[in-house]
Amino acid sequence: MNTLVLGATGLCGNFMLKYAITAKEVNKVFTITRSPLPAQQAEDAKVTSFQEKDNAKWGDIIKNDITDNIDVVLTGLATTKAVGGAEFQYSIDHDLNIELAKVAKDRGCKTLVVVSTMGANKDSRLFYPRMKGEIERDMIALGFDKTIILRPGILLGDRGREHTGFGNGAASAVGGWFYRSRCQWLMGYPVKGEEVAKVGVHLALNKSNQKVQIVGSSEILDIASKL
């Protein structure tokens, strides 16, 4: 089994890469990133990494440069409004994700795992949950044999970048106080990015025939605790 990890330098994507590498079912792992992978991952025998700053070329890399089959796409590809505004965020989180998933499906990929968010709703009046809801809608419409949508609450962990935005930083700080506590439900079940990734890889390799699986933050925490 071969996997393509998108967003492999981000919070969830980097851990998706980690768990894809260590999964015995996975033979090869491909990544496409703007910045280099950590040396330990880039030099792993399973990993073939493509570094290309122009993400308009990423689809062509999947079409032409990855000559092996792609069985699973794991995507944590995302950015924030703090980096370039709402329009830029939508172009990455929605447009680029959909484009690359479609190219992978055209290459014969059967399974898609995507990190969404708690409260994703295409009909929301708020930009972020509406965007995530539209991503879910359009990912499902691609018709993969298996689509797994992860809906974490507040994501905890080191994002390793400067422009996360004040809101994300404040939410993570508060969410950390409630993590796996009796009152975690008050904050929508905060969860570590590593746990989200671990569960995503686990479900991707699971032989369930469920075509669309939506996994909320409480369930992510429950599954992660058993892995």
Side-chain angles (χ1 to χ4, degrees):
M1 180 180 291
N2 300 329
T3 69
L4 169 62
V5 180
L6 301 172
T9 57
L11 174 59
C12 291
N14 186 253
F15 283 114
M16 285 176 160
L17 176 58
K18 170 187 172 180
Y19 286 109
I21 290 172
T22 57
K24 62 182 180 180
E25 300 91 339
V26 175
N27 299 314
K28 295 183 180 181
V29 184
F30 302 98
T31 68
I32 310 173
T33 57
R34 296 184 73 253
S35 55
L37 297 176
Q40 185 176 0
Q41 294 175 330
E43 295 168 5
D44 190 280
K46 280 189 179 183
V47 175
T48 300
S49 59
F50 298 89
Q51 188 180 345
E52 173 54 65
K53 290 188 177 182
D54 184 0
N55 55 41
K57 297 179 180 179
W58 289 10
D60 288 334
I61 291 173
I62 298 173
K63 288 179 185 176
N64 304 319
D65 297 331
I66 300 177
T67 56
D68 295 274
N69 292 335
I70 300 171
D71 302 296
V72 177
V73 170
L74 304 164
T75 180
L77 180 64
T79 188
T80 68
K81 283 199 293 185
V83 174
E87 185 175 346
F88 176 75
Q89 184 179 21
Y90 195 92
S91 73
I92 300 299
D93 286 34
H94 179 277
D95 298 347
L96 186 58
N97 262 312
I98 300 300
E99 175 197 350
L100 299 180
K102 184 178 186 304
V103 174
K105 184 172 186 298
D106 290 344
R107 286 282 319 277
C109 183
K110 304 295 185 184
T111 300
L112 171 67
V113 179
V114 57
V115 179
S116 182
T117 190
M118 170 186 66
N121 181 355
K122 64 181 177 58
D123 297 316
S124 175
R125 294 183 179 181
L126 301 177
F127 169 76
Y128 189 72
R130 182 174 68 249
M131 176 185 69
K132 291 297 187 180
E134 290 174 357
I135 293 168
E136 292 184 3
R137 175 198 64 197
D138 295 340
M139 289 290 198
I140 291 169
L142 291 175
F144 281 81
D145 288 2
K146 183 161 65 171
T147 301
I148 298 162
I149 296 171
L150 304 170
R151 287 182 176 175
I154 295 170
L155 279 171
L156 307 177
D158 181 8
R159 286 170 166 79
R161 60 188 180 189
E162 297 177 3
H163 303 292
T164 56
F166 173 77
N168 283 336
S172 295
V174 175
W177 301 338
F178 288 84
Y179 173 69
R180 290 191 181 274
S181 72
R182 283 185 176 182
C183 298
Q184 61 184 331
W185 59 274
L186 289 170
M187 293 297 293
Y189 296 92
V191 59
K192 293 180 179 179
E194 182 170 5
E195 293 172 311
V196 176
K198 182 188 291 189
V199 170
V201 173
H202 168 74
L203 294 176
L205 301 178
N206 189 293
K207 294 184 178 180
S208 167
N209 293 322
Q210 190 172 348
K211 189 170 179 64
V212 178
Q213 189 173 2
I214 298 176
V215 188
S217 206
S218 175
E219 189 176 358
I220 292 170
L221 287 163
D222 183 54
I223 296 171
S225 68
K226 297 173 183 175
L227 295 177

